[in-house]
C-alpha cells in the first residue's frame, strides 16, 4: 500500500471515528448531534435526479454487456428497492455498473445468458457470507495502485468496444482486436451516411458529458445523459435518419429464473471461477465506491459489513431473476449527494421510478438511439481509465506506478481476473521488498572484519547477507564480529545462514563474535557457567545480548530464543 493510499484511508477512518465515536467508524449519527433530518421534498427531487442518471446507464450497460436492455433496468430496480433499503451506506446508489460490462459480456459469450443468473446468484450468496463473517473491510487492504490499474484496465477496453456501437457497428471481439479495428471503423464511417449521423450523436453525447457541468444557470442540474438522450430522440425522428434505436420488450418477460440445467453447471470449474471473479470485483468496486462517497458528505458513515450484505442481497435477487450483477455506482451516488439527499429514501425511490417507467412507458425507450447510449459509456470508460492518475502516481511513487501500469496492461491483454491477480502479486512483492530493507555496513580492521546489520533481514535480502558474510570470511582476519543488535526482524532463513556461517568459521579456527537481537533476561554466570554474563549495554531493539566467541551449545536457541 502506498503512503498516499494509507493517508487517504486514514483520513476516511478518522472522519468516521469522529462522526461515530466508534473505532471502526461503522455507526450512524454524528456524536452529540441528531441524525440528518429528512426533507421529503428534497429526497423525492434527489430520487428523480438519480433516476434520470440511472436510466440511460442501466440500458447502456445492458447493451454493452450483450444482454437485453430489460435486464439492465431490472438490475437498476433491484439496486434501488433491495440494496437501497438496507442500512449499509446511506447515500450510495447501486445498479448495473459499466465496470463489469466487459466481464459480463465475456461470461455471456462463453456460457450464455441463462448461466448468468447462476453466477450472479452464487456471487450474491458469497457476498452475504463475507459480510456475515465481517470481512467487509478486507477489501480496503487492496493496494490503491491495483484498484486504479483495475479501473483503468476496465475503462480502456470499454471505450474501444463502445466506439463501434457509436457508429451503429459491431465490435470485432477482444480488446486488442477492437483497438486494431479502429482505423477500419473510421473508413466505414466516412463511406456510410447513417453511420456518420450515429457517430455524430455519440460524439455529441461524449462532449456534453464532459462540458455540461460548465453550463451556467440551473439548467446544468439536468443530467447530461438525459440531455443527450433527448437530442438523440429528436434527431432519430427526423426524416431520412435511420440510426439504430433501442429494442425494448416486456420487462416481466425478460425475467429468466435459472433452472436445474443451469444449476448443474456449478460442477464446471469455469463457472466457479466466474463466481469468485464476480464476487471479488463487485465487492471491491462497491466498497471502494462507499469510501469515495463517504468523502463527499458529512452524514452517517458506511457500515462496510452491512453494505456487503446489502450488495449480496441485491445480487442474490438479481441472480434469481437472471439479471445483471449489481454494484455501487459512483455516477449515481455522486448525483444523489449533489442533489441534497440525506437519507436512504432517495436511492430507494429511484428504483421505484425505474420500475414505473419501464412498465408504463416502454415505448419511449424504443426511441433512444443506441449510439447515444454508447457515447454515455465511452464517457464512463474515460472516467474509469482516468489517464491523469498515471502521471500523478509516477510523481508520488514509481513502484506503485509500475504495479498500476502492469495491472492495466495485463487486463487489456488477457482478462480482468488475470490482470487483478497479477496486480495483487506485484503489489505484494513490492510491499515485501520495501519491508525488507536491510542496512549492512562492513569494514576491516587490523585483526578483525566487522559486519553490522540493521533493519528487516528476510529471505528477500538473503543474497545481500551472504555476500557480506563471505566478504568478511575472505578478508583473512583472525576475528570476525557480527553485530545484529540493530535488526528489528530476523527471519528463519537469515538467522539460519548467520548461525551456519558462525559455526563454519569457528570450525576453521576463526574467532567469531556474534551479537544477536532479541530481549533476553540476564542469567547470573554462576547459574549457567557455560554461558557468559551480559557485558555490554544492548543496542536498539534488545535489552541484553551475549558476546560469545565459543561454539554455541546445542540447546542455546531453546534457552535463548531470538525475537525476529
Amino acid at each position: 500500500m502506498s503512503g498516499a493510499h494509507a493517508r487517504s484511508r486514514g483520513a476516511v477512518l478518522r472522519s468516521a471515528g469522529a462522526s461515530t465515536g466508534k473505532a471502526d467508524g461503522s455507526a450512524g449519527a454524528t456524536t452529540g448531534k441528531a441524525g440528518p433530518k429528512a426533507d421529503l421534498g428534497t429526497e423525492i427531487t434527489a430520487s428523480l435526479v438519480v433516476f434520470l442518471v440511472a436510466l440511460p446507464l442501466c440500458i447502456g450497460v445492458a447493451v454493452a454487456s450483450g444482454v437485453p436492455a430489460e435486464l439492465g433496468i431490472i438490475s437498476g430496480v433491484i439496486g434501488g428497492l433491495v440494496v437501497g433499503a438496507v442500512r449499509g451506506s446511506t447515500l450510495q446508489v447501486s445498479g448495473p455498473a459499466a465496470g463489469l460490462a466487459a466481464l459480463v459480456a465475456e461470461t455471456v459469450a462463453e456460457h450464455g445468458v441463462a448461466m448468468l443468473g447462476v453466477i450472479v446468484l452464487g456471487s450474491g450468496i458469497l457476498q452475504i457470507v463475507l459480510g456475515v463473517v465481517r470481512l467487509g473491510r478486507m477489501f480496503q487492504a487492496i493496494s490503491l495502485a491495483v484498484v486504479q490499474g483495475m479501473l483503468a484496465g476496465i475503462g480502456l477496453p470499454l471505450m474501444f468496444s463502445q466506439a463501434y456501437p457509436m457508429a451503429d457497428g459491431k465490435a470485432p471481439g477482444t480488446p486488442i482486436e477492437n483497438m486494431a479495428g479502429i482505423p477500419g471503423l473510421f473508413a466505414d464511417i466516412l463511406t456510410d451516411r447513417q453511420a456518420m449521423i450515429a457517430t455524430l450523436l455519440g460524439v455529441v453525447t461524449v462532449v456534453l458529458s464532459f462540458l455540461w457541468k460548465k453550463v451556467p444557470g440551473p439548467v446544468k442540474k439536468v443530467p447530461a445523459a438525459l440531455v443527450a438522450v433527448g437530442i438523440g430522440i429528436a434527431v432519430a425522428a427526423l426524416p431520412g435518419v435511420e440510426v439504430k434505436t433501442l429494442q425494448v420488450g416486456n420487462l416481466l418477460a425478460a425475467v429468466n429464473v435459472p433452472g436445474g440445467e443451469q444449476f448443474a453447471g456449478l460442477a464446471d470449474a469455469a463457472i466457479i471461477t466466474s463466481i469468485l471473479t464476480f464476487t471479488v470485483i463487485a465487492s471491491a468496486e462497491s466498497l471502494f465506491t462507499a469510501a469515495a462517497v463517504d468523502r463527499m458528505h458529512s452524514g452517517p458513515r458506511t457500515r462496510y459489513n452491512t453494505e456487503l450484505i446489502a450488495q449480496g442481497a441485491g445480487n442474490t435477487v438479481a441472480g434469481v431473476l437472471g439479471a445483471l450483477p449489481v454494484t455501487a455506482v459512483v455516477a449515481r451516488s455522486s448525483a444523489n449527494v449533489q442533489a441534497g439527499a440525506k437519507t436512504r429514501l432517495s436511492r430507494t425511490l429511484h428504483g421505484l421510478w425505474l420500475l414505473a417507467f419501464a412498465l408504463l412507458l416502454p415505448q419511449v425507450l424504443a426511441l433512444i438511439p443506441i449510439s447515444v447510449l454508447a457515447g454515455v459509456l465511452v464517457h464512463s470508460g474515460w472516467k474509469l481509465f482516468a489517464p491523469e492518475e498515471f502521471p500523478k502516481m509516477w510523481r508520488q511513487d514509481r513502484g506503485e506506478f509500475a504495479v498500476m501500469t502492469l495491472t492495466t496492461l495485463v487486463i487489456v491483454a488477457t482478462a480482468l481476473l488475470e490482470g487483478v491477480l497479477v496486480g495483487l502479486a506485484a503489489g505484494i512483492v513490492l510491499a515485501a521488498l520495501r519491508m525488507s530493507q536491510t542496512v549492512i555496513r562492513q569494514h576491516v580492521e587490523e585483526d578483525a572484519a566487522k559486519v553490522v546489520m540493521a533493519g528487516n533481514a528476510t529471505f528477500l535480502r538473503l543474497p545481500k547477507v551472504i555476500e557480506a558474510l563471505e566478504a568478511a570470511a575472505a578478508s583473512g582476519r583472525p576475528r570476525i564480529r557480527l553485530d545484529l543488535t540493530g535488526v528489528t526482524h530476523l527471519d528463519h532463513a537469515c538467522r539460519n545462514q548467520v548461525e551456519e556461517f558462525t559455526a563454519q568459521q569457528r570450525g576453521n579456527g576463526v574467532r567469531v563474535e556474534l551479537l544477536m537481537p532479541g530481549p533476553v533476561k540476564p542469567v547470573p554466570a554462576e547459574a549457567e557457567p557455560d554461558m557468559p554474563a551480559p557485558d555490554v549495554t544492548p543496542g536498539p531493539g534488545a535489552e541484553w545480548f551475549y558476546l560469545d566467541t565459543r561454539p554455541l551449545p546445542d540447546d542455546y536457541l531453546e534457552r535463548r530464543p531470538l525475537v525476529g
Side-chain angles (χ1 to χ4, degrees):
M1 182 185 300
S2 69
H5 186 200
R7 287 192 295 273
S8 173
R9 283 185 55 207
V12 172
L13 294 178
R14 283 195 297 274
S15 174
S19 299
T20 64
K22 293 188 177 183
D24 62 356
S26 60
T30 305
T31 303
K33 297 182 180 180
K37 294 182 179 180
D39 182 332
L40 184 59
T42 302
E43 296 299 313
I44 293 176
T45 302
S47 69
L48 290 171
V49 171
V50 176
F51 157 70
L52 295 175
V53 173
L55 180 61
L57 283 174
C58 288
I59 299 170
V61 170
V63 173
S65 301
V67 301
E70 300 87 355
L71 295 183
I73 297 175
I74 292 173
S75 292
V77 172
I78 293 170
L81 299 183
V82 179
V83 181
V86 181
R87 295 173 60 90
S89 177
T90 304
L91 302 181
Q92 178 170 273
V93 184
S94 299
L100 285 174
L103 181 60
V104 173
E106 180 183 335
T107 302
V108 169
E110 184 175 354
H111 303 293
V113 178
M115 281 303 301
L116 181 62
V118 173
I119 294 172
V120 175
L121 174 61
S123 299
I125 294 173
L126 192 53
Q127 283 181 308
I128 293 175
V129 172
L130 292 174
V132 169
V133 299
R134 306 185 66 80
L135 291 181
R137 287 193 176 275
M138 174 187 70
F139 291 92
Q140 288 185 300
I142 300 176
S143 166
L144 180 62
V146 176
V147 175
Q148 291 181 334
M150 177 189 74
L151 295 177
I154 292 171
L156 189 62
L158 181 62
M159 286 189 293
F160 281 98
S161 67
Q162 292 307 299
Y164 293 87
M166 275 181 62
D168 280 351
K170 184 178 180 180
T174 66
I176 301 298
E177 291 172 342
N178 293 341
M179 293 177 187
I182 292 297
L185 176 65
F186 281 130
D188 293 339
I189 292 172
L190 295 175
T191 58
D192 188 332
R193 178 174 175 271
Q194 298 301 327
M196 188 176 298
I197 294 174
T199 304
L200 288 174
L201 284 175
V203 171
V204 168
T205 301
V206 174
V207 172
L208 280 175
S209 298
F210 279 108
L211 302 180
W212 190 251
K213 288 184 179 180
K214 298 180 180 179
V215 174
V219 69
K220 67 181 179 183
K221 293 184 178 180
V222 180
L226 183 64
V227 176
V229 167
I231 294 173
I233 291 176
V235 173
L238 294 175
V241 177
E242 299 178 359
V243 297
K244 293 182 180 179
T245 57
L246 190 63
Q247 300 301 313
V248 182
N250 188 302
L251 197 65
L252 297 178
V255 173
N256 185 18
V257 179
E261 182 180 352
Q262 283 74 44
F263 282 106
L266 291 172
D268 186 352
I271 299 297
I272 300 300
T273 300
S274 295
I275 291 174
L276 295 175
T277 304
F278 273 74
T279 302
V280 173
I281 302 302
S283 301
E285 184 168 346
S286 294
L287 296 182
F288 280 115
T289 299
V293 174
D294 278 351
R295 291 194 289 272
M296 298 178 187
H297 66 90
S298 57
R301 305 291 93 182
T302 297
R303 296 179 172 98
Y304 284 90
N305 295 310
T306 306
E307 179 63 17
L308 189 56
I309 294 173
Q311 296 293 332
N315 279 316
T316 300
V317 175
V320 170
L321 299 180
L324 292 172
V326 172
T327 73
V329 184
V330 173
R332 288 168 232 187
S333 303
S334 60
N336 193 34
V337 174
Q338 292 166 7
K342 299 295 182 184
T343 70
R344 300 192 311 276
L345 182 61
S346 62
R347 67 178 190 168
T348 305
L349 283 177
H350 110 275
L352 186 62
W353 306 144
L354 280 173
L355 180 61
F357 190 91
L359 291 177
L360 301 178
L361 299 171
Q363 63 275 14
V364 176
L365 300 178
L367 301 175
I368 301 175
I370 289 178
S371 60
V372 171
L373 298 177
V376 171
L377 289 174
V378 167
H379 175 256
S380 296
W382 179 267
K383 300 295 284 185
L384 287 169
F385 180 47
E388 71 278 1
E389 292 297 329
F390 285 87
K392 181 179 177 182
M393 185 67 79
W394 173 265
R395 292 190 298 269
Q396 290 179 346
D397 190 319
R398 295 188 179 183
E400 297 282 359
F401 169 83
V403 172
M404 179 178 172
T405 304
L406 178 64
T407 304
T408 302
L409 292 177
V410 175
I411 290 175
V412 172
T414 57
L416 186 60
L417 178 61
E418 287 82 349
V420 171
L421 291 177
V422 169
L424 288 173
I428 292 171
V429 170
L430 177 64
L433 287 172
R434 287 179 169 175
M435 289 178 65
S436 300
Q437 294 297 326
T438 308
V439 178
I440 301 179
R441 297 188 301 272
Q442 51 190 123
H443 60 278
V444 178
E445 298 179 350
E446 292 184 0
D447 65 338
K450 297 183 177 180
V451 178
V452 180
M453 298 172 63
N456 296 317
T458 70
F459 68 95
L460 294 172
R461 301 299 180 183
L462 192 56
K464 188 176 180 181
V465 172
I466 294 175
E467 182 181 352
L469 296 177
E470 290 178 347
S475 67
R477 298 299 189 271
R479 184 166 64 94
I480 297 176
R481 181 184 179 89
L482 305 179
D483 185 353
L484 278 64
T485 55
V487 175
T488 55
H489 176 73
L490 184 67
D491 76 351
H492 177 74
C494 287
R495 181 177 63 184
N496 189 63
Q497 182 63 41
V498 169
E499 291 170 353
E500 286 183 359
F501 174 82
T502 300
Q504 181 183 34
Q505 294 303 313
R506 287 174 178 170
N508 294 336
V510 179
R511 180 184 178 187
V512 180
E513 300 172 358
L514 178 60
L515 284 70
M516 299 292 279
V520 181
K521 294 183 179 180
V523 180
E526 59 272 13
E528 292 194 33
D530 293 337
M531 296 299 300
D535 57 353
V536 185
T537 302
E543 288 183 4
W544 299 91
F545 61 84
Y546 286 86
L547 178 59
D548 185 11
T549 59
R550 296 168 295 173
L552 297 173
D554 294 337
D555 62 345
Y556 177 70
L557 292 179
E558 287 72 17
R559 289 187 289 147
R560 297 289 183 272
L562 299 176
V563 177

